[in-house]
Amino acid sequence: MFLFDDGNRLVWQIAPEPGTTDDMHRNFDTARPATESFSGISNIDGRFYASRIGGDTFVIDMTTGAASYGGWART
């Protein structure tokens, strides 16, 4: 998932903290953005979360795109 500005310029791509996708079915690889497996983003009480297909959920820093592992949720 990406954030674009009003001029349609890329601001950031979601980037999980190092190690948080280790041993998952598909590790996050910024060199191959089409293989990242985030399937949705949600706003809950002003915090943004990105979910991966397997249920892993990350809290997103909307300024930088950094993603901190938040836990697993049944999807």
Side-chain angles (χ1 to χ4, degrees):
M1 294 190 174
F2 303 87
L3 177 67
F4 293 90
D5 66 14
D6 291 340
N8 205 27
R9 292 176 296 266
L10 178 64
V11 176
W12 52 250
Q13 176 184 358
I14 290 177
E17 295 174 324
T20 58
T21 63
D22 291 352
D23 301 322
M24 292 183 180
H25 173 68
R26 184 178 293 155
N27 291 347
F28 186 87
D29 181 357
T30 57
R32 300 179 63 204
T35 65
E36 63 90 6
S37 57
F38 286 103
S39 59
I41 193 165
S42 56
N43 178 347
I44 302 170
D45 296 327
R47 293 182 76 184
F48 287 85
Y49 299 85
S51 300
R52 288 173 58 108
I53 292 170
D56 292 299
T57 303
F58 294 79
V59 180
I60 305 302
D61 178 326
M62 294 301 286
T63 304
T64 65
S68 301
Y69 185 72
W72 181 83
R74 180 177 289 182
T75 56

